[in-house]
Amino acid sequence: MTGGNEVTANSNEYPVAVDDRQFLVRCINDVERGRAASFLSKEPETVRWLKAEMVPATVFWDVGANVGLFSLYAAILQPTAQILAFEPAAHNYASLCDNIVINGFTNIVPFSVALGQGNLAFDELYLSKVEAGSSIHHVGAKSPWAESEPVFRQPCVKVSIDSMVLDHGFPTPTLLKIDVDGLELGILDGARTVLNQVKSVLVELDANDPSEISAATNLLEQAGFRLTETSRREKTINRKLPRNHIWMNAALHPLD
């Protein structure tokens, strides 16, 4: 499938339909099936944001791609856009690659890389689970979002967005989604140089942590961004309240 065409799912492939478009998600467990089934209802603001902001020239960086649902949706919205999907957890990365293959997409490039601060380095990814579709993993230590101890420490490489672009020649993102369960501030800090070229940022933050909200607000406002939407999620995770915050670059995306 190259975007917008009808597809026929095998028994372990779940079709996700959005408006007149459809993509497939390979589901090998209940976690992946749950993600596919709740795609439209869990984060409707992210679906709306992508639908509004994806244009043919977009370079979309999906940081914390998991099994790739938002990258897949972006690909059917704009088959000529560049989509970079970052997912360091090996079990999720494998499913991400599978989903790209079964849909026949050629404009999504997956990277098993953790983004953060500084130049390319080696670290450990603390995994909360090893089932495909799982989340709440953390680089360098147990996630503050995790309710139980990690089950595995997976070696990984990490690097900043600035280093990816300036040192390694990656295309600068024009649309940036960051959802990594606790490492968002470090990733934003590692993108200070290229942020002025980003049109819009969607970042998940803990609404129960005023210091995190303040730090993200200060960093993004200094880069010329203005907050335009905050999701209304009420379900907490280990006393954390994850809500998506959507920011627009006033210089590149004039506000009314």
Side-chain angles (χ1 to χ4, degrees):
M1 190 180 77
T2 57
N5 300 325
E6 289 297 321
V7 294
T8 301
N10 294 325
S11 59
N12 65 338
E13 294 171 357
Y14 190 106
V16 177
V18 186
D19 298 329
D20 60 342
R21 298 177 172 91
Q22 180 174 278
F23 60 86
L24 296 175
V25 181
R26 181 167 290 166
C27 299
I28 61 174
N29 60 37
D30 288 341
V31 179
E32 290 184 305
R33 278 186 286 273
R35 286 190 176 276
S38 65
F39 176 71
L40 289 174
S41 60
K42 186 178 180 182
E43 296 186 23
E45 68 284 349
T46 308
V47 175
R48 292 194 304 269
W49 176 68
L50 286 171
K51 186 175 181 179
E53 299 300 328
M54 286 294 300
V55 296
T58 296
V59 179
F60 174 44
W61 283 40
D62 185 0
V63 182
N66 201 277
V67 300
L69 270 71
F70 290 114
S71 287
L72 299 172
Y73 179 51
I76 63 171
L77 287 172
Q78 290 295 342
T80 61
Q82 297 182 69
I83 301 165
L84 284 68
F86 294 88
E87 177 50 56
H91 49 287
N92 290 337
Y93 182 72
S95 287
L96 167 63
C97 293
D98 279 346
N99 287 330
I100 295 170
V101 170
I102 64 173
N103 285 283
F105 290 136
T106 59
N107 63 328
I108 305 175
V109 183
F111 296 91
S112 184
V113 174
L115 297 184
Q117 298 162 291
N119 297 324
L120 193 68
F122 292 93
D123 211 318
E124 289 184 320
L125 184 67
Y126 286 60
L127 301 178
S128 65
K129 296 180 180 180
V130 291
E131 288 81 14
S134 63
S135 59
I136 314 181
H137 313 307
H138 201 271
V139 176
K142 173 186 172 181
S143 172
W145 295 68
E147 297 181 271
S148 57
E149 292 302 310
V151 298
F152 187 67
R153 289 160 60 173
Q154 173 200 311
C156 70
V157 294
K158 66 176 183 179
V159 65
S160 69
I161 291 176
D162 281 347
S163 182
M164 293 282 279
V165 173
L166 302 175
D167 300 331
H168 301 284
F170 280 68
T172 302
T174 59
L175 205 61
L176 177 60
K177 167 189 159 285
I178 306 174
D179 180 356
V180 292
D181 299 332
L183 293 167
E184 286 80 2
L185 286 180
I187 294 171
L188 285 173
D189 188 65
R192 286 179 181 268
T193 302
V194 303
L195 271 176
N196 64 351
Q197 300 176 63
V198 179
K199 184 179 178 182
S200 182
V201 175
L202 184 149
V203 56
E204 183 185 79
L205 299 168
D206 177 14
N208 284 342
D209 186 346
S211 63
E212 181 175 87
I213 301 296
S214 177
T217 298
N218 290 338
L219 191 156
L220 286 164
E221 285 186 348
Q222 289 174 14
F225 286 79
R226 295 293 178 268
L227 182 66
T228 60
E229 184 178 355
T230 301
S231 65
R232 300 181 178 181
R233 177 170 173 164
E234 296 297 337
K235 183 179 179 180
T236 60
I237 301 174
N238 196 23
R239 298 180 298 280
K240 304 286 187 179
L241 180 56
R243 286 182 176 172
N244 287 324
H245 294 65
I246 297 175
W247 300 77
M248 299 296 180
N249 187 329
L252 302 178
H253 199 303
L255 305 178
D256 295 333

